[in-house]
Amino acid sequence: MTLAYIPSPSTGVLHLGPIPLRGYAFCIIIGVFVAVWLGNKRWIARGGKPGTVADIAVWAVPFGLVGGRLYHVITDYQLYFGEGRDWVDAFKIWEGGLGIWGAIALGAVGAWIGCRLRGIPLPAWADALAPGIAVAQAFGRWGNWFNQELYGRPTDLPWALKISEGPNRVAGLYHPTFLYESLWCLGVAALVIWADRRFKLGHGRAFALYVAAYCSGRVWIEYMRVDEAHHILGLRLNVWTAIVVFVLAVVYFVLSAKLRPGREEVVEPEPAGVAPAKSDAPAGAAGASGAEVAKPGASGGAEVAKPEAASDAAAGAGAAKADAKPVGLAKGGADAAPEPDKS
């Protein structure tokens, strides 16, 4: 007799009048907001401007949702295009079914577009957002709890998940793989934040660390699941995907560290056409330091007048013509009498 277990919601949808409020969608939305908030703080800490992360997320999030849904539909096509299935269900994203692999891949395309428009490097933006993505996944997995899906093998552990009878599921107690992955993602976020502070990761290496760490946990979590999936050489398709992506992330991390060590000094340069800050030095400072002083010429151009030393001015004062106008001395003792602009 099981004395303790995790209950499942009786329904994943609440209705506010005619408007359905779906727990799955709420979990994803909360995750996106937390990811953008955390990414914005990290971006500013690296020298970026407030709001840039959100501006690029406007591109990345829609692309990511489309990519995640495409991956799910393609890899589980029998759920939508098999005998007795309705292909329209492939568009019902609120019923669950987002593949993180497709979400990251196509989301990166959207982020690349946004970064190009803002003139900033994609790897730097990805590094800032990496732990936020992991936290977003931690929230998103609770959407599976609302839908009573993606659970593991039967178990009698105190933290077993109670599943009720329903379409494509049998009532019983199962491993709460959604909870395992949620906790793993929070651990990945903490790891990336710590490693980034400790080793000053740059050029996409914080993002690569996130990918590798997530994949290493996804392998054993995926192995526990009992939902229908395609198998290759005895392993679930997502296990193979996690292994391949893990290897690619590690290779990128190692090569990037050798080819581009350190961290980007500038992550968000000033837009083209922005004038540099003006100097607050007084106009006479140039003369005082012995620099050349530009004088307007008759043709509209600039003549260059070299300042004379105070001693030379004093020596030539007795030889000046009688009808010469007085000449004022600059602070540094230079002759500063510009010709009038005749243009």
Side-chain angles (χ1 to χ4, degrees), residues 42 191-201 263:
R42 288 172 50 80
L191 171 65
V192 174
I193 292 174
W194 171 81
D196 195 27
R197 290 177 177 176
R198 174 67 177 81
F199 302 105
K200 304 296 181 184
L201 303 177
R263 176 185 282 182

Side-chain angles (χ1 to χ4, degrees), residues 83-202:
E83 184 178 354
R85 303 288 185 173
D86 187 358
W87 63 271
V88 176
D89 292 342
F91 295 93
K92 297 179 180 179
I93 192 173
W94 55 87
E95 294 183 354
L98 289 174
I100 185 60
W101 319 110
I104 293 297
L106 206 56
V109 175
W112 176 80
I113 295 174
C115 288
R116 290 279 294 180
L117 294 176
R118 293 297 295 263
I120 64 176
L122 174 61
W125 185 85
D127 282 343
L129 203 67
I133 296 176
V135 174
Q137 289 178 252
F139 278 99
R141 275 307 177 197
W142 284 86
N144 302 135
W145 177 64
F146 279 101
N147 288 351
Q148 297 195 50
E149 59 185 1
L150 306 186
Y151 43 84
R153 296 188 294 269
T155 182
D156 57 357
L157 292 171
W159 55 86
L161 175 66
K162 186 176 183 179
I163 296 296
S164 60
E165 189 73 26
N168 302 319
R169 66 175 186 252
V170 178
L173 298 174
Y174 301 88
H175 277 285
T177 50
F178 85 91
L179 179 60
Y180 298 160
E181 186 166 339
S182 181
L183 295 175
W184 182 266
C185 287
L186 292 177
V188 170
L191 171 65
V192 174
I193 292 174
W194 171 81
D196 195 27
R197 290 177 177 176
R198 174 67 177 81
F199 302 105
K200 304 296 181 184
L201 303 177

Side-chain angles (χ1 to χ4, degrees), residues 72-73 76-82 85-86 89-90 168 228:
H72 169 72
V73 172
D76 290 313
Y77 61 88
Q78 74 281 354
L79 300 177
Y80 307 99
F81 304 102
R85 303 288 185 173
D86 187 358
D89 292 342
N168 302 319
E228 184 179 357

